[in-house]
Amino acid sequence: MSTDALADGFGRVATDLRVSLTDRCNLRCNYCMPAEGLDWLPNAEVLTDDEVIRLVRIGVEQLGIEEVRFTGGEPLLRKGLVDLVRRTKELAPTPEVSLTTNGLGLQRTAHALAEAGLDRVNVSLDTIRPDTFATITLRDRLADVLAGLAAANDAGLAPVKVNAVLLRGVNDDQAPELLQWCLDQGYELRFIEQMPLDAQHDWSRTEMITAEEIFDLLSGFDLTPAEEARGSAPAEKFVVNGGPTTVGVIASVTRPFCGDCDRVRLTADGQVRNCLFAREESDLRTPLRSGASDELIAQRWRLAMATKLPGHGINDPLFLQPTRPMSAIGG
Ligand code: SF4
């Protein structure tokens, strides 16, 4: 392991950088934020495109980052997104670049993002029923999301991945139809256990649909564990009905995968989070804006990783939810 790497005290090395480009969103998913939204970050605190690229470049050139995922809030709200993707792909060694989005606006931008070099896209979609979509997101925009998925597929960002959260008594009974629909479309569906990262701090373990319940809901399908090694991937993958399409289950709470974690996060206001559930952050924006060298910024980033805890601690009795909500951290 090179001394330049983003290593922690448990032998893990972060090579997958998640960059939140904004904390703003154009949906109001009720398991993520309140209907009125949140107090958004002041623009002056949000990294400029040049600052984002400088930090990503330092990560790629000096810290062994191999994958860059742009997230939000909703990253398609970021005006310079296409150019950020292009400039990231121009870095050497060239990182893999992906995007996590709610799909609004993807119909308009999918081809430009693909031309800029985007490799993969994950679209959040919890239902294919317009009424349930409106109940969860407080917006009547399902058709736009579906059109965005089709455009991403058409632009060659395949296999398009769909991330779905099941909510008890809301869309949990729709899991089989959502999987069948994704199979028909050729999209790779992943069910994600709801995590305690909502801005309202309403998360409840008993309300959460567990991985075991997800498997029960999908009992009508033949699910065979995928042969490919999982590595550090969050999703446990299963071949559906003999394949080729797979379905994934990301069970952060009941089947945590922190032992192989290779992720590090950068918030839209320039803070390093060494874990999704980190309760401390390391500020890179201040040194960035006060003339620090790339080497000094890289060193501060390494130090931020050294204090990474072995896991998220959700199952510990003393667990405390981070103050920063998921909408300002990104997937
Ligand atoms: S919860 Fe933290 S340590 Fe665990 S997999 Fe996610 S980012 Fe890694």
Side-chain angles (χ1 to χ4, degrees):
M1 174 172 39
S2 126
T3 53
D4 295 336
L6 290 174
D8 65 34
F10 303 92
R12 298 168 298 186
V13 174
T15 56
D16 180 352
L17 172 62
R18 313 284 171 105
V19 182
S20 170
L21 293 176
T22 178
D23 62 334
R24 297 169 188 244
C25 189
N26 42 12
L27 289 180
R28 293 289 179 272
C29 302
N30 53 26
Y31 56 86
C32 179
M33 67 169 74
E36 65 276 13
L38 298 167
D39 294 334
W40 310 126
L41 288 168
N43 286 337
E45 291 180 16
V46 174
L47 298 180
T48 65
D49 290 1
D50 288 345
E51 289 172 335
V52 169
I53 289 299
R54 182 171 174 211
L55 289 178
V56 172
R57 178 178 55 71
I58 292 170
V60 169
E61 290 177 354
Q62 299 199 31
L63 299 169
I65 291 295
E66 297 164 0
E67 297 174 60
V68 176
R69 176 177 292 275
F70 291 116
T71 69
E74 174 44 49
L76 288 172
L77 292 174
R78 180 93 182 210
K79 290 197 181 47
L81 176 63
V82 172
D83 207 42
L84 285 168
V85 170
R86 182 179 295 108
R87 292 171 70 186
T88 303
K89 285 304 282 188
E90 288 166 358
L91 296 173
T94 306
E96 190 175 273
V97 179
S98 55
L99 178 74
T100 299
T101 169
N102 64 23
L104 296 183
L106 193 54
Q107 183 181 18
R108 194 168 27 79
T109 52
H111 283 270
L113 287 165
E115 275 152 36
L118 187 69
D119 296 292
R120 286 182 290 119
V121 65
N122 292 48
V123 178
S124 306
L125 179 68
D126 303 328
T127 176
I128 52 171
R129 299 185 192 174
D131 54 349
T132 308
F133 185 93
T135 300
I136 295 174
T137 67
L138 307 183
R139 302 285 186 275
D140 189 11
R141 301 288 304 274
L142 176 63
D144 298 320
V145 176
L146 301 184
L149 279 160
N153 207 40
D154 186 54
L157 296 169
V160 172
K161 295 189 175 173
V162 171
N163 292 352
V165 173
L166 297 176
L167 305 171
R168 197 174 297 285
V170 179
N171 64 334
D172 49 347
D173 61 332
Q174 298 174 24
E177 74 177 46
L178 185 56
L179 176 53
Q180 189 55 56
W181 182 80
C182 285
L183 293 174
D184 298 342
Q185 307 296 322
Y187 303 148
E188 270 193 28
L189 178 60
R190 303 113 63 76
F191 289 104
I192 305 177
E193 281 183 343
Q194 191 192 349
M195 293 179 280
L197 285 168
D198 57 311
Q200 307 94 309
H201 287 219
D202 286 346
W203 179 85
S204 122
R205 185 179 293 277
T206 48
E207 281 308 297
M208 179 191 76
I209 301 287
T210 66
E212 284 319 308
E213 290 177 285
I214 294 170
F215 294 131
D216 290 348
L217 288 161
L218 301 179
S219 57
F221 297 88
D222 168 31
L223 302 184
T224 315
E227 276 165 19
E228 69 198 66
R230 179 179 180 184
S232 62
E236 290 177 64
K237 288 174 88 170
F238 301 85
V239 177
V240 184
N241 298 343
T245 310
T246 62
V247 65
V249 174
I250 301 179
S252 312
V253 179
T254 62
R255 297 152 77 117
F257 37 86
C258 302
D260 298 309
C261 181
D262 65 350
R263 289 166 290 283
V264 60
R265 290 175 167 80
L266 190 61
T267 66
D269 54 344
Q271 311 300 304
V272 170
R273 296 181 60 81
N274 58 27
C275 167
L276 187 54
F277 290 89
R279 293 191 49 73
E280 277 146 26
E281 300 179 338
S282 297
D283 177 17
L284 294 186
R285 189 184 72 231
T286 304
L288 194 68
R289 291 182 176 178
S290 48
S293 67
D294 287 0
E295 288 65 32
L296 190 142
I297 290 170
Q299 190 49 27
R300 178 172 284 209
W301 200 335
R302 288 188 200 99
L303 289 174
M305 294 309 291
T307 56
K308 182 169 181 168
L309 298 176
H312 50 47
I314 298 172
N315 302 315
D316 300 352
L318 299 176
F319 171 73
L320 283 174
Q321 184 172 333
T323 43
R324 189 188 287 260
M326 183 68 158
S327 59
I329 300 172

